[in-house]
C-alpha cells in the first residue's frame, strides 16, 4: 500500500526544526530523515502527486502510503504542490474535524503569516467563515488581510483579545487555532464565544498556562488539541479524502493559492531552517531538487 516517489520538492515546516533539535521524536518505523511533505512523480506510473509523510521528505526518493497521497492540483507547479500537505492536513484536521468550524462562524488563527496561518486564513475564507488573525508586524497584518482575513492584529502593539471582542460586537469568535500556548490561553478565553472551541497545535510560548475555572464554567468552551505525525495511515487517509472532496476544487478554482515565500535547493536545508527560525517569512519555505 505504498508508492515510491521521485521527489521534485519538499516543504519545510516548524516540526522539522523541532526534530533537528531533538524535541520531536520520529514515529516508530518512520524515516529519521526530516521532511513531512513532498511533491513528485510516482516512479512506477509517472503520476504526479503531493503527499503527507511521517518523515523522509528531504531526499531524492521517498516512500509514501498511497492513501496519504493527493494529485497535484490542476494549474499548480511541483513547488506549489509541495507546500500543501502538512499545513492543509493540519488545518483541516484541527479547524474542521476537531474545531467543528461551521459556515458563517467566526475564526481566529494565531500566527497568521506562518505556513499554518496562511493556509488557515485562505481555507476558512473560502469555506465561508469570517476570519481574524494575529501577526508580529503591520506588514504581516496587511498580508493576512490580503489573504482573506477580515482584520489582523499586531500582537506587539495591540491586545488581540480586546480587538477581537470589538470586531465581533462583544460576542467573540467561535473557533481559535492556537500554536502559541502559554500566557495566550487566558487571553484567548476572554475573546472566545460562548460554546466556542479552542484547539492547540503547538506551544511556542510554553506548554503550561493558568485557567480561570469560573470563565470556563460561564463560557462552556471545548478545549482540545491534536497531533498528526504519529496517527495511523487510516486516520490521515480520511483527512486526505476530505481535502480531495472539499478543498482541492477550491484550489483548482483559484480561491485558495499556495503562498511560497522562498525556495532553497535540497543541499541547503540549514539556510531554509535559519530563515524559518527568524520568523521573517510570510507563507511557505520549500526545498527543490
Amino acid at each position: 500500500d505504498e508508492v515510491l516517489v521521485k521527489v521534485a520538492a519538499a516543504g519545510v515546516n516548524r516540526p522539522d526544526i523541532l526534530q533537528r533539535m531533538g524535541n520531536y521524536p520520529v514515529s516508530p518505523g518512520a524515516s529519521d530523515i526530516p521532511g513531512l511533505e513532498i511533491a513528485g512523480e510516482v516512479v512506477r506510473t509517472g503520476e504526479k502527486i503531493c503527499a503527507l509523510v511521517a518523515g523522509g521528505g528531504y531526499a531524492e526518493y521517498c516512500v509514501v502510503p498511497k492513501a496519504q497521497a493527493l494529485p497535484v492540483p490542476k494549474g499548480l507547479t511541483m513547488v506549489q504542490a509541495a507546500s500543501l500537505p502538512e499545513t492543509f492536513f493540519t488545518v483541516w484536521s484541527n479547524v474542521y474535524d476537531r474545531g467543528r468550524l461551521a459556515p458563517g462562524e467566526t475564526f481566529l488563527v494565531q500566527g497568521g503569516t506562518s505556513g499554518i496561518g496562511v493556509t488557515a486564513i485562505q481555507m476558512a475564507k473560502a469555506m465561508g467563515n469570517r476570519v481574524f488573525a494575529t501577526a508580529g508586524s503591520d506588514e504581516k497584518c496587511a498580508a493576512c488581510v490580503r489573504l482573506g482575513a477580515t482584520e489582523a492584529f499586531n500582537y506587539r502593539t495591540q491586545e488581540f483579545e480586546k480587538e477581537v471582542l470589538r470586531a465581533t460586537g462583544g460576542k467573540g469568535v467561535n473557533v481559535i487555532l492556537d500554536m502559541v500556548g502559554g500566557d495566550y490561553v487566558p487571553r484567548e478565553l476572554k475573546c472566545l464565544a460562548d460554546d466556542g472551541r479552542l484547539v492547540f497545535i503547538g506551544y511556542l510560548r510554553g506548554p503550561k498556562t493558568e485557567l480561570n475555572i469560573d470563565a470556563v464554567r460561564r463560557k462552556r468552551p471545548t478545549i482540545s488539541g491534536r497531533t498528526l505525525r504519529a496517527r495511523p495511515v487510516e486516520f490521515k487517509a480520511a483527512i486526505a479524502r476530505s481535502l480531495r472532496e472539499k478543498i482541492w476544487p477550491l484550489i483548482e478554482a483559484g480561491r485558495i493559492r499556495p503562498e511560497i515565500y522562498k525556495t532553497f535547493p535540497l543541499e541547503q536545508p540549514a539556510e531554509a531552517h535559519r530563515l524559518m527560525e527568524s520568523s521573517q517569512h510570510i507563507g511557505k519555505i520549500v526545498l527543490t531538487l
Side-chain angles (χ1 to χ4, degrees), residues 35-102:
L36 301 175
E37 60 183 352
I38 62 163
E41 191 173 287
V42 177
V43 170
R44 185 177 292 274
T45 66
E47 181 183 3
K48 292 177 171 55
I49 65 165
C50 56
L52 181 75
V53 293
Y58 294 10
E60 294 172 313
Y61 291 87
C62 184
V63 174
V64 175
K66 188 176 180 181
Q68 293 173 203
L70 287 159
V72 172
K74 295 181 180 67
L76 263 57
T77 67
M78 285 293 196
V79 168
Q80 290 174 315
S83 76
L84 300 177
E86 202 275 341
T87 57
F88 277 69
F89 273 72
T90 298
V91 170
W92 183 270
S93 176
N94 287 281
V95 175
Y96 291 95
D97 286 345
R98 197 75 180 166
R100 307 185 311 280
L101 184 63

Side-chain angles (χ1 to χ4, degrees), residues 52 70 84-103 107 109 115-129 175 177 199 201 226-228 235-251 256:
L52 181 75
L70 287 159
L84 300 177
E86 202 275 341
T87 57
F88 277 69
F89 273 72
T90 298
V91 170
W92 183 270
S93 176
N94 287 281
V95 175
Y96 291 95
D97 286 345
R98 197 75 180 166
R100 307 185 311 280
L101 184 63
F107 170 60
V109 58
I116 292 288
V118 300
T119 297
I121 290 170
Q122 292 193 80
M123 190 182 294
K125 172 71 173 179
M127 292 287 285
N129 301 107
V175 176
L177 183 63
V199 186
I201 58 170
R226 176 174 278 179
T227 59
L228 192 56
F235 178 85
K236 298 171 186 175
I239 302 172
R241 289 192 295 271
S242 294
L243 290 172
R244 179 77 182 269
E245 177 187 352
K246 303 284 180 56
I247 301 301
W248 254 229
L250 297 174
I251 297 173
I256 299 175

